[in-house]
């Protein structure tokens, strides 16, 4: 009998011919295996690409405060796997610190973008910015409606929520990105793609989702039966594309036609893109969308 090697999705499998994660030993072939080191990004975001090249196409992003399992740190690049959605790739090494050196996050950013201030004053010139769902550690000190971060900077308290606080309506969360420019691989209001929009909107509702649209189609909710009525919150999938229904006849999605997150009649999108491949319905109660 010929022994066959199981196939693994390279987007989710930290394995190369020369190096693979130790937990894949016996499952994949590699010259050597390495234990991962948990690191935390302390920068607004880091580009995640398939090769260690600053000019490579963007595949995804790691956001401030998100964990990243590093299997290699070489020539200014780290190679590893996102602790949020399991996506594998290379990212610039700057800003990735050992988890042991970083305080546990206590809150997350809920504004589309928020600024970081050296002092708790609105008229003080900001020294940086953080995207929605960035994870931060607070000291508990509050002045002038600003909360102090563990690194001594300040952030508007109104732009924060506890890590376990969730928005009840992911459709409204998607509207929070309305008008954001389209960016392949993006996960922020400064640039987002179709699956990034779905993933981030669901995350705001406390539901985990894979990174890419085909992975989302395979994992999220249940497929609607033929003739089943559409409703608000259903996901609609085309090959390589996903949107969120705002009503049985409305759609919000990040798309290359508008080069932005746009809301439009579902019929207009179908006339332009083609017949959807599937519709999927997510559980109404707050839990992982993967359940």
């Amino acid at each position: 009998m010929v022994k066959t090697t199981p196939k693994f999705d390279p987007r989710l499998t930290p394995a190369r011919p020369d190096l693979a994660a130790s937990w894949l030993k016996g499952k994949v072939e590699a010259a050597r295996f390495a234990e991962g080191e948990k690191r935390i990004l302390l920068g607004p975001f880091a580009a995640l690409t398939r090769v260690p090249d600053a000019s490579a196409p963007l595949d995804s992003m790691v956001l401030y405060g998100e964990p990243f399992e590093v299997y290699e740190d070489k020539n200014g690049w780290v190679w590893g796997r996102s602790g949020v959605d399991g996506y594998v790739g290379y990212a610039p090494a700057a800003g990735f610190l050992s988890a042991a050196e970083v305080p546990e996050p206590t809150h997350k950013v809920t504004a589309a973008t928020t600024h970081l201030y050296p002092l708790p004053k609105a008229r003080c010139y900001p020294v940086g910015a953080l995207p929605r769902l960035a994870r931060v550690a607070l000291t508990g000190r509050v002045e002038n409606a600003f909360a102090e971060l563990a690194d001594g900077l300040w952030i508007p308290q109104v732009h924060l929520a506890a890590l376990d606080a969730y928005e009840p309506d992911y459709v409204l969360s998607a509207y929070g990105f309305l008008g954001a420019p389209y960016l392949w691989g993006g996960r922020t209001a400064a640039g987002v793609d179709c699956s990034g929009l779905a993933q981030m909107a669901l995350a705001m509702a406390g539901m985990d989702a894979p990174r890419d649209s085909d992975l989302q189609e395979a994992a999220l909710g249940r497929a609607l039966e033929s003739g089943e009525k559409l409703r608000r919150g259903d996901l609609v999938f085309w090959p390589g594309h996903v949107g969120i229904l705002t009503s049985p006849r409305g759609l919000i999605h990040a798309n290359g036609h508008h080069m932005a997150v746009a809301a439009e009649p579902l019929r207009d999108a179908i006339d332009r893109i083609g017949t959807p491949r599937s519709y999927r319905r997510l559980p109404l109660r707050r839990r992982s969308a993967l359940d």
Side-chain angles (χ1 to χ4, degrees):
M1 181 180 293
V2 177
K3 183 179 179 181
T4 59
T5 302
K7 292 184 178 180
F8 295 93
D9 191 325
R11 295 171 294 179
L12 303 175
T13 311
R16 308 180 328 215
D18 64 318
L19 177 64
S22 59
W23 54 270
L24 288 169
K25 199 168 188 178
K27 300 177 181 178
V28 301
E29 293 184 4
R32 65 186 180 92
F33 294 85
E35 295 288 338
E37 178 194 5
K38 183 180 178 181
R39 297 193 190 179
I40 306 295
L41 177 66
L42 291 189
F45 61 83
L48 199 61
T49 57
R50 295 187 188 182
V51 294
D53 185 340
S55 64
L58 183 67
D59 274 356
S60 190
M61 290 177 172
V62 182
L63 304 185
Y64 186 101
E66 288 185 343
F68 193 71
E69 196 77 11
V70 174
Y71 299 99
E72 180 183 72
D73 186 337
K74 182 179 179 182
N75 298 328
W77 292 84
V78 291
W79 177 73
R81 186 170 182 254
S82 165
V84 171
D85 55 28
Y87 219 77
V88 173
Y90 291 87
F96 283 95
L97 301 183
S98 170
E101 304 174 28
V102 180
E104 283 291 324
T106 60
H107 290 71
K108 60 189 174 186
V109 173
T110 54
T113 303
T114 191
H115 291 109
L116 298 172
Y117 294 84
L119 296 171
K121 297 179 180 180
R123 293 188 180 184
C124 184
Y125 193 80
V127 296
L130 296 180
R132 179 178 281 134
L133 292 188
R135 307 175 185 189
V136 298
L138 302 184
T139 64
R141 184 181 173 196
V142 177
E143 287 187 27
N144 300 326
F146 282 77
E148 186 183 41
L149 301 182
D151 61 6
L153 295 178
W154 298 82
I155 193 168
Q157 192 176 25
V158 71
H159 290 172
L160 298 170
L163 286 178
D164 60 356
Y166 299 111
E167 298 291 336
D169 187 338
Y170 59 83
V171 177
L172 286 181
S173 295
Y175 269 107
F177 288 85
L178 191 64
Y182 178 83
L183 177 65
W184 181 277
R187 295 179 63 223
T188 76
V192 67
D193 63 13
C194 66
S195 54
L197 174 65
Q199 183 189 55
M200 298 301 284
L202 290 171
M204 293 173 69
M207 294 189 283
D208 300 324
R211 179 61 184 89
D212 290 344
S213 61
D214 64 318
L215 301 173
Q216 293 173 355
E217 184 179 16
L220 298 180
R222 66 171 181 85
L224 269 63
E225 301 292 337
S226 177
E228 191 171 357
K229 291 184 178 180
L230 300 177
R231 73 182 185 197
R232 184 177 183 275
D234 288 342
L235 302 182
V236 54
F237 290 92
W238 290 268
H241 191 60
V242 59
I244 302 172
L245 295 190
T246 58
S247 74
R249 295 179 296 278
L251 175 72
I252 186 169
H253 59 150
N255 65 92
H257 176 75
H258 296 96
M259 286 304 292
V261 176
E264 63 176 326
L266 175 61
R267 184 72 259 171
D268 288 358
I270 290 175
D271 288 345
R272 189 174 65 247
I273 304 171
T275 302
R277 183 162 62 190
S278 71
Y279 296 90
R280 299 193 70 86
R281 181 158 297 164
L282 304 183
L284 293 177
R285 60 187 181 280
R286 185 182 298 143
R287 62 174 185 175
S288 173
L290 297 170
D291 290 347

